[in-house]
Amino acid sequence: MDNINNTNNNLPDQFDDEQSLYDSVKIVSPGRLVLRRFFRSRLSIVGLAMLIFLFLFSFIGPLFSPYGEIELCPVAREVRMITQGQFTGADGKIYKYYDVSTSIVHDKAPPSSEHPLGTDVDKMDVLTRLMYGGRISLRISFTVIFLETLIGVLLGGIAGFFGKWVDTLIMRIVDVFYCLPGMPILLISSQIIKSISFIAAEDRIYWLMGILTLFGWAGTARLVRGQILSLREQEFMTAAEATGIKSSAKIFKHLLPNVMPQLIVSMTLGLGSIILYESTLSYLGLGVQYPLAAWGTMISSADPAKGTEVLNYYPNLWVAPGILIVAAVLGFNFVGDGLRDAFDPKMKR
Amino acid sequence: MLKYIIKRILLGLLILFGTSVIIYFLVRNMPADYIDRNTAARVSQGLITQEQVEQMKHLYGIGDNSFWGILSNYFTWLGNLLKGDLGISFVYGKPVAEVIGRYMWISFGISFTALIFEIIISIPLGIYAATNQYGVADYTVTVLAMMGISLPSFFLGALLIRVFSLELGWFPMTGLRDATKILTGFPAFLDLLHHLVLPMVTLVVLSIGSLMRYTRTNMLEVLNSDYIRTARAKGLSEKTVIYKHAFRNTLIPLVTMLGGIIPSLFGGAMITESVFALEGIGYTAYNAVLQADVPFVMGYNMFLAVLTVLGILISDLLYAVVDPRVKVGG
């Protein structure tokens, strides 16, 4: 696309007398146009700000935190235990009694200046664990999306470019993966990963990333193939054909750059959904393993099935990770939507 | 048309074959299957021997865990499937089809009601946002809808339980019925509804966003088309233009979207059902995975895959039905 502007710059000499008019027109490259449209939308700026905050929080934040991810910080606090009982006295009446005892516990400290969000069930600092949880979530989502795109572009590109039986074969494989039910398959896969003895508990999440990739590339492949099929029929591709360039040049110089806009949008939106998948798996205890921190695991302490103590009395343990998940997914969605509008030449705003 | 449908169904069967092979191999590789777990105690006490356990597994068609063993077991399973037999669930001791049928309707009831609410709320909101494009209303609706999409179901569920059940005490926390009372007839139904309010709200909030944004995008596209300009030029009122001319045409893509909803309509919401401990098909399947109930997990996953294939086919056909410009075939 940049070539168009370069040719415009080198105007033939006979246009010299119109140079003054030409100078007054500012030439904007398509990339800059997209950026300008992107920043004109308020939602994309909000989304971008949220993502920048999350990145700083997760990757720079731990440097300023006095505690480690799995460092125990016992904070003593008094807990009053009221026990109730009854006995039958010597006179035959039933007596009830209450006994208030004070005991000292060291976990689930309330928010204080040392621990802004308190400490959790295992005496670890909640704020610090939030930061490390963000690291894991962001790292996983970017890795998975990168791998998914790599496989998707490769297979979708081959299918769309070569057509015929190659296309049929690849698209049937895509269909098969597309019909696999996502969540149940992830559950089963993580059970299998859990049972394989040579995978250490802290490495399981990397295997899970592989599984997420394996079951997620089909969508990207479909998108790329569809785009390439429609691009192949356009005039500029006929022109490229006429110049007699190699297939690889046609793919990498002419087709892929035109698929990029859609690809970038779907990648950005995909980042959010991977974070949701990862946190759901962690919530179910199948993702990131204890003692490593993950947002989903932190919320799972409030699971109603595990009793209502944390859910009811310690919102500082599970509300913040939930808000951060929403912020991350929302941020990626806002940016993705903003990019979609910015790339769309029909949008005149 | 008929030829096209037959071709698509045959293709669907091919896809399902591939899907079933992948699922079968995954399911068979699940750790500590149900039989191992339930016989471990008796084996260690010496009541039954390991050979008997192996024999039992063999009877259930999950004896051999080598590659070729699983492959031959797969074809046994496939043969039974073609005879309409999905096997017998280990946990429930009943045919898998019967178990799915029993729990499916609970999930279907919940999802279907949620779907109706979703449509009632999101379509008008989408139209409203589109007609006020880039206005305050548009931004508010869009942001709220996006927040709904971004919420993890377990977090929203926990929040709702915390506020409306524990704090305010308006709704029961989990389950489908009040275990402390014996109710029949209409009061029992009311009790059921009372239990379903929070799960329903969760499902609706989570799904409203995508349908609303979909409506908004389509509405915007339609509003820019020539026949809308014609309608306005004729001097029709804005109300007629939007609700009679534009709205009808936004329904075309919406109808095709309904095909994609089919799997979640019948397949249940695994996480939401687990959070609220609702005995739907999703919760049942989740527990089945944890207990390695091989026939049931297999049956459930295939059920979902069939629904997905059907959903795609139905939406393609519906597209041709509602939009006469689209020709099916080829």
Side-chain angles (χ1 to χ4, degrees):
Chain A
M1 284 189 193
D2 285 325
N3 293 335
I4 302 166
N5 296 299
N6 289 338
T7 46
N8 280 353
N9 278 329
N10 309 325
L11 278 179
D13 290 340
Q14 67 256 39
F15 280 58
D16 263 349
D17 46 342
E18 290 180 29
Q19 197 67 40
S20 57
L21 175 74
Y22 187 72
D23 280 340
S24 63
V25 180
K26 204 177 154 202
I27 294 170
V28 187
S29 74
R32 182 157 293 189
L33 210 64
V34 166
L35 271 187
R36 191 191 285 174
R37 282 209 221 109
F38 178 77
F39 282 108
R40 207 172 284 167
S41 155
R42 259 168 282 176
L43 285 188
S44 355
I45 297 176
V46 171
L48 200 62
M50 280 157 79
L51 291 182
I52 291 173
F53 164 76
L54 277 175
F55 269 92
L56 294 179
F57 178 76
S58 319
F59 288 95
I60 312 290
L63 305 178
F64 296 96
S65 167
Y67 313 104
E69 182 180 11
I70 51 171
E71 188 183 327
L72 300 180
C73 328
V75 179
R77 67 185 170 107
E78 283 189 358
V79 181
R80 291 198 159 179
M81 286 259 292
I82 300 172
T83 42
Q84 229 186 85
Q86 58 183 34
F87 65 94
T88 319
D91 51 357
K93 283 181 188 166
I94 295 172
Y95 291 91
K96 280 189 178 168
Y97 67 89
Y98 299 92
D99 178 38
V100 179
S101 60
T102 319
S103 59
I104 307 240
V105 293
H106 297 276
D107 62 346
K108 289 179 280 195
S112 60
S113 54
E114 289 99 64
H115 301 281
L117 282 170
T119 60
D120 66 6
V121 195
D122 305 301
K123 313 181 188 76
M124 300 171 190
D125 182 57
V126 174
L127 186 68
T128 313
R129 284 177 75 76
L130 276 182
M131 297 168 182
Y132 283 98
R135 269 189 189 190
I136 273 276
S137 278
L138 292 172
R139 205 183 291 156
I140 287 177
S141 59
F142 273 92
T143 319
V144 170
I145 286 294
F146 177 73
L147 293 175
E148 255 182 42
T149 313
L150 211 65
I151 303 177
V153 168
L154 201 68
L155 289 179
I158 291 175
F161 187 77
F162 292 105
K164 296 194 196 104
W165 66 272
V166 184
D167 183 29
T168 318
L169 179 72
I170 292 179
M171 286 328 282
R172 288 300 88 81
I173 299 175
V174 165
D175 283 337
V176 166
F177 275 90
Y178 207 73
C179 285
L180 285 174
M183 208 58 219
I185 291 293
L186 281 178
L187 278 180
I188 296 168
S189 314
S190 34
Q191 291 273 30
I192 296 172
I193 293 172
K194 222 174 172 176
S195 73
I196 301 174
S197 51
F198 63 81
I199 301 175
E202 61 265 26
D203 291 340
R204 273 183 211 152
I205 195 66
Y206 300 108
W207 287 78
L208 214 58
M209 283 196 228
I211 301 281
L212 275 170
T213 312
L214 199 61
F215 295 111
W217 62 273
T220 319
R222 217 172 228 201
L223 177 106
V224 172
R225 172 189 174 261
Q227 279 297 313
I228 287 192
L229 276 186
S230 75
L231 287 172
R232 233 177 30 168
E233 305 301 319
Q234 290 185 10
E235 282 86 356
F236 74 91
M237 280 316 291
T238 321
E241 192 91 40
T243 56
I245 54 171
K246 281 184 296 183
S247 293
S248 62
K250 268 191 277 184
I251 295 176
F252 290 107
K253 280 200 128 155
H254 297 276
L255 287 175
L256 275 188
N258 284 300
V259 184
M260 274 328 262
Q262 277 87 351
L263 209 55
I264 290 173
V265 171
S266 89
M267 280 167 81
T268 322
L269 296 176
L271 286 167
S273 67
I274 297 291
I275 289 189
L276 277 183
Y277 265 128
E278 180 270 323
S279 58
T280 308
L281 285 175
S282 297
Y283 174 81
L284 296 174
L286 299 167
V288 181
Q289 295 296 312
Y290 181 82
L292 296 181
W295 291 340
T297 322
M298 296 172 84
I299 299 179
S300 75
S301 64
D303 184 358
K306 294 179 185 163
T308 52
E309 196 199 352
V310 172
L311 180 64
N312 204 5
Y313 302 109
Y314 299 98
N316 57 316
L317 299 189
W318 58 272
V319 174
I323 292 173
L324 285 181
I325 294 177
V326 176
V329 183
L330 205 57
F332 285 123
N333 278 342
F334 280 162
V335 171
D337 264 19
L339 282 174
R340 190 206 323 256
D341 288 353
F343 278 126
D344 189 352
K346 278 183 280 180
M347 297 282 291
K348 293 193 193 78
R349 198 170 162 264
Chain B
M1 185 73 176
L2 190 70
K3 201 177 150 203
Y4 173 75
I5 295 178
I6 291 172
K7 195 182 152 198
R8 284 291 304 265
I9 289 176
L10 288 178
L11 198 62
L13 287 177
L14 186 71
I15 293 169
L16 285 176
F17 173 72
T19 313
S20 66
V21 173
I22 296 179
I23 299 176
Y24 195 81
F25 271 83
L26 279 176
V27 170
R28 281 297 301 279
N29 278 305
M30 279 199 302
D33 62 70
Y34 190 73
I35 295 176
D36 273 331
R37 209 175 297 175
N38 281 343
T39 50
R42 272 177 286 170
V43 171
S44 64
Q45 284 166 12
L47 292 175
I48 50 173
T49 58
Q50 193 60 41
E51 283 87 67
Q52 281 169 312
V53 175
E54 294 304 325
Q55 208 178 354
M56 197 145 65
K57 282 187 179 181
H58 189 74
L59 277 175
Y60 281 110
I62 57 168
D64 193 352
N65 254 344
S66 68
F67 176 78
W68 294 110
I70 296 180
L71 198 67
S72 81
N73 287 161
Y74 168 75
F75 283 106
T76 321
W77 177 84
L78 190 68
N80 285 336
L81 178 74
L82 293 178
K83 281 183 251 157
D85 178 16
L86 274 170
I88 290 170
S89 158
F90 292 161
V91 177
Y92 297 93
K94 284 181 195 147
V96 170
E98 198 186 310
V99 180
I100 291 181
R102 189 172 138 211
Y103 291 101
M104 184 185 81
W105 294 111
I106 300 171
S107 290
F108 178 76
I110 301 171
S111 319
F112 189 70
T113 325
L115 177 69
I116 292 174
F117 277 108
E118 188 194 328
I119 292 175
I120 293 177
I121 300 172
S122 59
I123 291 186
L125 274 185
I127 295 176
Y128 184 62
T131 47
N132 295 298
Q133 198 188 4
Y134 302 126
V136 180
D138 183 22
Y139 273 117
T140 320
V141 171
T142 308
V143 169
L144 286 180
M146 299 265 259
M147 281 180 90
I149 302 177
S150 312
L151 273 168
S153 49
F154 50 90
F155 179 58
L156 181 62
L159 274 182
L160 288 175
I161 290 178
R162 172 68 176 74
V163 175
F164 292 103
S165 176
L166 292 172
E167 186 86 29
L168 298 169
W170 289 356
F171 301 106
M173 238 176 72
T174 52
L176 272 174
R177 50 186 69 83
D178 196 339
T180 60
K181 285 178 244 162
I182 299 165
L183 295 167
T184 47
F186 191 64
F189 181 68
L190 280 185
D191 183 54
L192 183 70
L193 280 190
H194 193 210
H195 279 81
L196 286 180
V197 172
L198 292 186
M200 218 83 104
V201 170
T202 313
L203 285 180
V204 171
V205 169
L206 291 178
S207 55
I208 252 181
S210 59
L211 189 58
M212 179 257 142
R213 287 206 306 169
Y214 206 65
T215 317
R216 179 181 174 271
T217 320
N218 288 320
M219 192 74 183
L220 281 178
E221 213 152 273
V222 170
L223 281 178
N224 282 328
S225 53
D226 293 339
Y227 59 85
I228 293 297
R229 201 184 308 143
T230 316
R232 287 215 174 101
K234 284 198 295 188
L236 295 177
S237 70
E238 192 61 22
K239 216 173 154 188
T240 324
V241 171
I242 287 171
Y243 290 100
K244 247 190 145 171
H245 293 248
F247 175 61
R248 281 184 170 194
N249 285 293
T250 56
L251 284 180
I252 296 171
L254 284 181
V255 166
T256 62
M257 201 189 162
L258 290 180
I261 291 175
I262 290 179
S264 64
L265 204 55
F266 290 92
M270 218 174 219
I271 309 300
T272 313
E273 283 175 17
S274 309
V275 170
F276 289 99
L278 304 177
E279 276 195 322
I281 187 83
Y283 184 50
T284 315
Y286 173 59
N287 284 326
V289 172
L290 295 187
Q291 291 173 306
D293 184 349
V294 176
F296 182 75
V297 174
M298 221 24 237
Y300 174 71
N301 280 313
M302 281 320 290
F303 175 62
L304 284 185
V306 170
L307 287 176
T308 313
V309 170
L310 269 183
I312 298 174
L313 179 62
I314 289 176
S315 62
D316 281 357
L317 291 179
L318 274 181
Y319 202 48
V321 172
V322 291
D323 190 346
R325 286 171 299 183
V326 175
K327 277 213 183 79
V328 162

